[in-house]
Amino acid sequence: MRISTIMVSLDLGAAAADRVQLAAGIAARFEARLIGVAARLVPALLSVGDAREAERLYEIEDRRAYEQLAEARALFEREAGTAVGTSWRAALAPPLAYLAEQARSADLVVVGRYGPADGDPGLMGVLAGALLMEAGRPVLVAPPGIERLSARRVVVAWMDTREARRAVHDALPFLAAAAEALVVAVGPDAHHDGIEDVAQYLSGYGVAATAHRLPTPALGVADELVAFARREEADLIVMGAYGHARLREWIFGGATRDMLRTTPLCCLMSH
């Protein structure tokens, strides 16, 4: 199991540089290629009576879009450094749709956490939850301020669901390289969801895996997972993303929603 290509989402938000450094460090560890991706739409203009004025305003917005994409590329090339092979993809397009389309070329997509306290990523920002529903690839959600990932100790959040099985499989490159994987079940069903089978499955790949049950959590599931990870000095959480699309709205279960908005640790999620 290996990772050969990593893709990182670029915007001009305050956390973008850290995210590129994080992705570049992971690419260097796995000797993978790193692809930077950015997209931006030219905003639709309000009705303008004068055709010449409308054309002039459109040209201004079009030029601004190209300038911002160029700025994102410069940021990517500067922060990625020279330790890994890189390439760049950009377009005047909806950022989510473009990144999900380009994800066909990647084993892993790195995207920022955009919670209520994370600031505005601007017109190139991509919401991790929506990307999870569209990309068909594992997504590493990176909180602001994290520039590197050791992944020596990894927490696997287990529920006996399709999404969790997918996440465990997608995370095998990280788990196989870790010193220990801690498989954790939280809540009253923790004694009945096959956690030992998961630990044994991972041991077949040479992973030192241990099973842990938290049947009576004092906190919500997401907070309990984060608290457990910090006690165990883990800096990566692996979990399935539970949700579905309803029209244009992405509906997620409580633990998934909380992780997407507030996780202080890197979180590798699959749907």
Side-chain angles (χ1 to χ4, degrees), residues 201-226:
Y201 167 78
L202 291 175
S203 71
Y205 286 92
V207 180
T210 55
H212 305 262
R213 290 185 173 87
L214 304 173
T216 55
L219 307 169
V221 173
D223 290 338
E224 198 73 39
L225 287 169
V226 170

CSV table of all heavy atoms in Angstrom, one decimal, residues 201-226:
chain,number,residue,atom,x,y,z
A,201,TYR,N,-7.2,-7.3,11.6
A,201,TYR,CA,-7.1,-7.0,10.2
A,201,TYR,C,-5.8,-6.1,10.0
A,201,TYR,O,-5.0,-6.4,9.1
A,201,TYR,CB,-8.3,-6.2,9.7
A,201,TYR,CG,-8.2,-5.6,8.4
A,201,TYR,CD1,-8.2,-6.3,7.2
A,201,TYR,CD2,-8.0,-4.2,8.2
A,201,TYR,CE1,-8.1,-5.7,5.9
A,201,TYR,CE2,-7.8,-3.6,7.0
A,201,TYR,CZ,-7.9,-4.4,5.9
A,201,TYR,OH,-7.8,-3.8,4.6
A,202,LEU,N,-5.7,-5.1,10.8
A,202,LEU,CA,-4.5,-4.2,10.6
A,202,LEU,C,-3.2,-4.9,10.9
A,202,LEU,O,-2.2,-4.7,10.3
A,202,LEU,CB,-4.6,-3.0,11.6
A,202,LEU,CG,-5.7,-2.0,11.2
A,202,LEU,CD1,-5.9,-0.9,12.2
A,202,LEU,CD2,-5.5,-1.4,9.8
A,203,SER,N,-3.2,-5.9,11.9
A,203,SER,CA,-2.0,-6.6,12.2
A,203,SER,C,-1.5,-7.4,11.0
A,203,SER,O,-0.3,-7.7,10.9
A,203,SER,CB,-2.2,-7.5,13.4
A,203,SER,OG,-3.1,-8.6,13.1
A,204,GLY,N,-2.5,-7.8,10.1
A,204,GLY,CA,-2.1,-8.5,8.9
A,204,GLY,C,-1.3,-7.7,8.0
A,204,GLY,O,-0.6,-8.3,7.1
A,205,TYR,N,-1.3,-6.4,8.2
A,205,TYR,CA,-0.4,-5.5,7.4
A,205,TYR,C,0.8,-5.0,8.2
A,205,TYR,O,1.5,-4.1,7.8
A,205,TYR,CB,-1.2,-4.3,6.9
A,205,TYR,CG,-2.2,-4.6,5.8
A,205,TYR,CD1,-3.5,-4.9,6.1
A,205,TYR,CD2,-1.8,-4.5,4.5
A,205,TYR,CE1,-4.4,-5.2,5.1
A,205,TYR,CE2,-2.7,-4.8,3.5
A,205,TYR,CZ,-4.0,-5.1,3.8
A,205,TYR,OH,-4.9,-5.4,2.8
A,206,GLY,N,1.1,-5.7,9.3
A,206,GLY,CA,2.2,-5.4,10.1
A,206,GLY,C,2.0,-4.2,11.0
A,206,GLY,O,3.0,-3.6,11.5
A,207,VAL,N,0.8,-3.8,11.2
A,207,VAL,CA,0.4,-2.6,12.0
A,207,VAL,C,0.3,-3.1,13.5
A,207,VAL,O,-0.4,-4.0,13.8
A,207,VAL,CB,-0.9,-2.0,11.6
A,207,VAL,CG1,-1.2,-0.7,12.4
A,207,VAL,CG2,-0.8,-1.6,10.1
A,208,ALA,N,1.0,-2.4,14.4
A,208,ALA,CA,0.8,-2.6,15.8
A,208,ALA,C,-0.5,-2.0,16.3
A,208,ALA,O,-0.5,-0.8,16.5
A,208,ALA,CB,2.0,-2.1,16.6
A,209,ALA,N,-1.6,-2.7,16.3
A,209,ALA,CA,-2.9,-2.1,16.6
A,209,ALA,C,-3.4,-2.6,17.9
A,209,ALA,O,-3.3,-3.8,18.2
A,209,ALA,CB,-3.8,-2.5,15.4
A,210,THR,N,-4.0,-1.7,18.7
A,210,THR,CA,-4.6,-2.1,19.9
A,210,THR,C,-6.1,-1.6,19.9
A,210,THR,O,-6.4,-0.6,19.2
A,210,THR,CB,-3.9,-1.4,21.1
A,210,THR,OG1,-3.8,0.0,20.9
A,210,THR,CG2,-2.5,-2.0,21.2
A,211,ALA,N,-7.0,-2.3,20.6
A,211,ALA,CA,-8.4,-1.9,20.7
A,211,ALA,C,-8.7,-1.2,22.0
A,211,ALA,O,-8.2,-1.6,23.0
A,211,ALA,CB,-9.2,-3.2,20.5
A,212,HIS,N,-9.6,-0.2,21.9
A,212,HIS,CA,-9.9,0.6,23.0
A,212,HIS,C,-11.4,0.9,23.0
A,212,HIS,O,-11.9,1.3,21.9
A,212,HIS,CB,-9.1,1.9,23.1
A,212,HIS,CG,-7.7,1.7,23.0
A,212,HIS,ND1,-6.9,1.8,24.2
A,212,HIS,CD2,-6.8,1.5,22.0
A,212,HIS,CE1,-5.6,1.5,23.8
A,212,HIS,NE2,-5.6,1.4,22.5
A,213,ARG,N,-12.1,0.8,24.1
A,213,ARG,CA,-13.5,1.0,24.1
A,213,ARG,C,-13.8,2.2,25.1
A,213,ARG,O,-13.3,2.2,26.2
A,213,ARG,CB,-14.3,-0.2,24.6
A,213,ARG,CG,-14.3,-1.3,23.5
A,213,ARG,CD,-15.2,-2.5,24.0
A,213,ARG,NE,-15.4,-3.5,22.9
A,213,ARG,CZ,-14.5,-4.5,22.7
A,213,ARG,NH1,-13.5,-4.6,23.5
A,213,ARG,NH2,-14.7,-5.3,21.7
A,214,LEU,N,-14.7,3.1,24.7
A,214,LEU,CA,-15.1,4.2,25.5
A,214,LEU,C,-16.6,4.1,25.6
A,214,LEU,O,-17.3,4.9,24.9
A,214,LEU,CB,-14.6,5.5,25.0
A,214,LEU,CG,-13.1,5.6,24.8
A,214,LEU,CD1,-12.7,7.0,24.1
A,214,LEU,CD2,-12.3,5.5,26.1
A,215,PRO,N,-17.2,3.2,26.3
A,215,PRO,CA,-18.7,3.0,26.3
A,215,PRO,C,-19.5,4.1,26.9
A,215,PRO,O,-20.7,4.3,26.6
A,215,PRO,CB,-18.9,1.6,27.0
A,215,PRO,CG,-17.7,1.6,27.9
A,215,PRO,CD,-16.6,2.2,27.2
A,216,THR,N,-18.9,4.8,27.8
A,216,THR,CA,-19.7,5.9,28.5
A,216,THR,C,-18.9,7.2,28.4
A,216,THR,O,-18.4,7.7,29.4
A,216,THR,CB,-20.0,5.5,30.0
A,216,THR,OG1,-18.7,5.2,30.6
A,216,THR,CG2,-20.8,4.3,30.1
A,217,PRO,N,-18.9,7.8,27.2
A,217,PRO,CA,-18.2,9.0,27.1
A,217,PRO,C,-18.7,10.2,27.9
A,217,PRO,O,-19.9,10.3,28.0
A,217,PRO,CB,-18.3,9.3,25.6
A,217,PRO,CG,-19.5,8.6,25.2
A,217,PRO,CD,-19.7,7.4,26.0
A,218,ALA,N,-17.8,10.9,28.5
A,218,ALA,CA,-18.2,12.1,29.3
A,218,ALA,C,-18.5,13.3,28.3
A,218,ALA,O,-19.2,14.3,28.8
A,218,ALA,CB,-17.1,12.5,30.3
A,219,LEU,N,-18.0,13.2,27.1
A,219,LEU,CA,-18.1,14.3,26.2
A,219,LEU,C,-18.9,13.8,24.9
A,219,LEU,O,-19.2,12.7,24.8
A,219,LEU,CB,-16.8,14.9,25.8
A,219,LEU,CG,-15.8,15.3,26.9
A,219,LEU,CD1,-14.4,15.5,26.4
A,219,LEU,CD2,-16.4,16.5,27.6
A,220,GLY,N,-19.1,14.7,24.0
A,220,GLY,CA,-19.6,14.3,22.7
A,220,GLY,C,-18.6,13.4,22.0
A,220,GLY,O,-17.4,13.4,22.3
A,221,VAL,N,-19.0,12.7,21.0
A,221,VAL,CA,-18.2,11.7,20.3
A,221,VAL,C,-16.9,12.4,19.8
A,221,VAL,O,-15.8,11.9,20.0
A,221,VAL,CB,-18.9,11.0,19.2
A,221,VAL,CG1,-17.9,10.1,18.4
A,221,VAL,CG2,-20.0,10.1,19.8
A,222,ALA,N,-17.1,13.5,19.0
A,222,ALA,CA,-15.9,14.1,18.5
A,222,ALA,C,-14.9,14.6,19.5
A,222,ALA,O,-13.7,14.4,19.4
A,222,ALA,CB,-16.3,15.3,17.6
A,223,ASP,N,-15.5,15.3,20.6
A,223,ASP,CA,-14.6,15.8,21.7
A,223,ASP,C,-13.9,14.6,22.4
A,223,ASP,O,-12.8,14.7,22.8
A,223,ASP,CB,-15.4,16.6,22.7
A,223,ASP,CG,-15.9,17.9,22.1
A,223,ASP,OD1,-15.2,18.4,21.1
A,223,ASP,OD2,-16.9,18.5,22.6
A,224,GLU,N,-14.6,13.5,22.5
A,224,GLU,CA,-14.1,12.3,23.2
A,224,GLU,C,-12.9,11.7,22.4
A,224,GLU,O,-11.9,11.4,22.9
A,224,GLU,CB,-15.1,11.2,23.4
A,224,GLU,CG,-14.8,10.2,24.5
A,224,GLU,CD,-14.8,10.7,25.9
A,224,GLU,OE1,-15.7,11.5,26.2
A,224,GLU,OE2,-13.9,10.3,26.7
A,225,LEU,N,-13.1,11.7,21.1
A,225,LEU,CA,-12.0,11.2,20.2
A,225,LEU,C,-10.8,12.1,20.3
A,225,LEU,O,-9.6,11.6,20.4
A,225,LEU,CB,-12.5,11.1,18.8
A,225,LEU,CG,-13.5,10.0,18.4
A,225,LEU,CD1,-14.1,10.2,17.1
A,225,LEU,CD2,-12.7,8.6,18.5
A,226,VAL,N,-11.0,13.4,20.2
A,226,VAL,CA,-9.9,14.3,20.3
A,226,VAL,C,-9.2,14.2,21.7
A,226,VAL,O,-7.9,14.2,21.7
A,226,VAL,CB,-10.4,15.8,20.1
A,226,VAL,CG1,-9.3,16.8,20.4
A,226,VAL,CG2,-10.8,15.9,18.6
